[in-house]
Amino acid sequence: MTLTELRYIVAVARERHFGRAAEACFVSQPTLSVAIKKLEEELDVKIFERGANEITVTPLGADIVQQAQSVIEQASAIKEIAKRGKDPLAGALRLGIIYTIGPYLLPELVRHVIDDYPQMPLMLQENFTVKLLDMLRTGELDCAIIAEPFPDTGLAVAPLYDEPFKIAAPSHHPFAQRESVSSEELKNETMLLLGAGHCFRDQVLEVCPEFARFSSNAEGIRKSFEGSSLETIKHMVASGMGVTVVPALSVPQQAQQHLRFIPFTAPVPTRRVVLAWRRTFTRYEAIAALRNAVHACRLPEVTFLS
């Protein structure tokens, strides 16, 4: 039994496909298949059920894959301990970040990390919260910047900042001349939302629960649209298709010709952004350095958390 074979079974369990797992491990499919067959013969168990179109993990195989992931992490920890003896920050840090934070935080965050911790390059992965949590669990990521709440996965969590929400409306909309708008007033508007899978969509629906149900006839609801990104939705708002709710960091610093951003009346809805990592991750100094780099960023209107 080798670490390479353990990495192969973890990859197959994740991808549910021998070809994709082989690509992820940078080996040919025959090489990966032969190695896994050898491991199954050595253990005298069947780890995977091989179907015509899908690979499934057997119940006993799931336990073996979980233990294999733990062994891989522990082996990696030995290398990290050795590195820390020379430089605790040496080596790349694999960072995940959700779509509604990445474009607005990463440009300045990466610059701070390059300036202050050049020996710790960031390897970035932008994705949905659920996918990032899965990648943390399987060891593909070291840490992730996400927004609460999220499913309890036994991760270590450090708060970064609280970020208020704002309303985006076309410049000709009555809201554009207001100093603030209540969430109650939004239920009479055409609301543009992010598509399913974005945690920010769920946070907006908590502020405006009327839009949780789609109906063209419901009182106070004309129609809801879904977009793939905040920037797409803001362009739709600017063209007069409706209004939306955005996080404060996504608000441009320069005035927009066809778009206005209006604060909420108190209590202002916010989201808490946190840094999460596996409790078995041993590079504590790297986590602290990343958190310091976030706090060194100029993030208008957010409240940094200690």
Side-chain angles (χ1 to χ4, degrees), residues 65-132:
V65 169
Q66 184 177 4
Q67 186 61 38
Q69 179 62 51
S70 178
V71 171
I72 292 169
E73 289 185 17
Q74 292 302 316
S76 177
I78 293 173
K79 294 181 180 179
E80 296 298 339
I81 290 170
K83 286 181 182 178
R84 284 167 55 193
K86 301 174 183 178
D87 183 348
L89 300 179
L93 185 68
R94 298 171 298 174
L95 171 66
I97 192 165
I98 57 176
Y99 292 118
T100 57
I101 296 178
Y104 316 111
L105 174 62
L106 283 180
E108 189 164 359
L109 174 61
V110 170
R111 180 174 62 79
H112 278 292
V113 171
I114 291 173
D115 290 345
D116 299 335
Y117 313 105
Q119 73 277 46
M120 189 184 76
L122 295 179
M123 297 178 63
L124 301 170
Q125 168 71 234
E126 198 176 27
N127 218 311
F128 296 109
T129 299
V130 171
K131 179 61 176 176
L132 295 179

Side-chain angles (χ1 to χ4, degrees), residues 123-172:
M123 297 178 63
L124 301 170
Q125 168 71 234
E126 198 176 27
N127 218 311
F128 296 109
T129 299
V130 171
K131 179 61 176 176
L132 295 179
L133 292 174
D134 186 55
M135 295 177 75
L136 276 175
R137 181 180 57 80
T138 59
E140 295 174 82
L141 290 175
D142 299 322
C143 54
I145 295 176
I146 53 184
E148 291 185 332
F150 53 87
D152 183 8
T153 57
L155 296 171
V157 175
L160 293 174
Y161 56 82
D162 286 339
E163 180 181 17
F165 297 165
K166 288 197 169 185
I167 299 159
S171 57
H172 61 268

Side-chain angles (χ1 to χ4, degrees), residues 15 34 54 56 58 61 98 132 134 136 148 156 166 205 219 280 295:
E15 300 292 343
V34 168
E54 186 180 23
T56 58
T58 65
I98 57 176
L132 295 179
D134 186 55
L136 276 175
E148 291 185 332
K166 288 197 169 185
L205 290 177
E219 182 179 357
T280 54
H295 282 188

